[in-house]
Amino acid sequence: MKGLRSSHVLLSALLVPFLLALQGSAQDEISFPPLYPSAPLAAALQVFPYCSCTDYACVASPYKATYAGTTKLSSNTNNICFDVVYLGPIANPRPCYTIMTQFFGKIEFEMAPACRSAIKSATINDVDKNVIYQSGYPTGILRLTDLQLNATAIGTGAKFCFQMYTGFSNPSGSECSTPAGLFEGAGTGRPVIKYTTFESSDHRCCPTCIDSASPPPLP
């Protein structure tokens, strides 16, 4: 994933494949969830996940991430976890659903940029995993890459966790080591757990979802 540049040439290059896709037949049309009112908007890197893909629709992902809770690991570290499950075979799957059943290479969560310093580490099923913070966009990106997973490996569920230092807050005052603080949407003042799954770092498929179990804001 490349950083946003000011060059009009780059933006034009990003828009071309989407404009062509939108001119295709009804069978080949790409549908976008309400989060993405148009393909060019996403292609121009103005909204999360800030990359150009062939499909952003949540239904294009065979995986679902659900907030599983936050626990205290130590006096200065909280553990924020998600249960990631494979949704199983479905009738008439979108192409990305089929591709990602075989290849699940990356997952990203939109996060509050001010919480960058709170990131400590990450695990998948209690195994250490390299976590990357991506800057340069209106909101931050919390990324786990090189997953080398698929539907068989995920099975009925896998635990994805982020270990976060306490003592850091976002601009609204919410603690970064809590979901309400870490995943607060770009200055909206309300917690939104928004995530994208990818087949690989080539990100042809970028189905983006909002966890329906998003936690309430801190009192």
Side-chain angles (χ1 to χ4, degrees), residues 29-201:
E29 282 184 351
I30 300 171
S31 65
F32 295 83
L35 183 64
Y36 301 104
S38 67
L41 177 63
L45 310 182
Q46 296 177 23
V47 294
F48 179 82
Y50 308 113
C51 57
S52 57
C53 308
T54 60
D55 202 342
Y56 297 92
C58 183
V59 294
S61 176
Y63 308 103
K64 179 181 180 181
T66 303
Y67 173 63
T70 299
T71 57
K72 197 170 188 64
L73 294 181
S74 68
S75 60
N76 70 342
T77 305
N78 283 352
N79 201 32
I80 300 176
C81 293
F82 293 85
D83 287 325
V84 178
V85 300
Y86 168 55
L87 299 176
I90 61 174
N92 303 313
R94 299 165 78 101
C96 279
Y97 194 102
T98 301
I99 292 171
M100 293 187 63
T101 296
Q102 303 175 54
F103 305 100
F104 180 15
K106 181 170 65 169
I107 187 169
E108 295 180 350
F109 290 83
E110 184 177 42
M111 63 167 281
C115 291
R116 176 178 185 174
S117 296
I119 301 170
K120 180 180 181 181
S121 55
T123 57
I124 296 179
N125 292 335
D126 296 323
V127 177
D128 290 339
K129 192 68 182 177
N130 185 40
V131 60
I132 299 171
Y133 173 81
Q134 176 74 46
S135 62
Y137 303 105
T139 57
I141 299 174
L142 189 63
R143 176 187 303 149
L144 295 178
T145 190
D146 192 28
L147 300 181
Q148 299 184 35
L149 296 172
N150 55 29
T152 301
I154 291 295
T156 57
K159 190 78 74 178
F160 286 49
C161 298
F162 298 99
Q163 294 77 52
M164 309 296 297
Y165 289 116
T166 59
F168 296 90
S169 300
N170 64 26
S172 69
S174 297
E175 170 66 46
C176 289
S177 62
T178 67
L182 180 62
F183 300 110
E184 186 175 43
T188 62
R190 58 188 179 88
V192 176
I193 299 180
K194 194 185 307 177
Y195 65 93
T196 302
T197 52
F198 302 80
E199 89 290 350
S200 71
S201 292

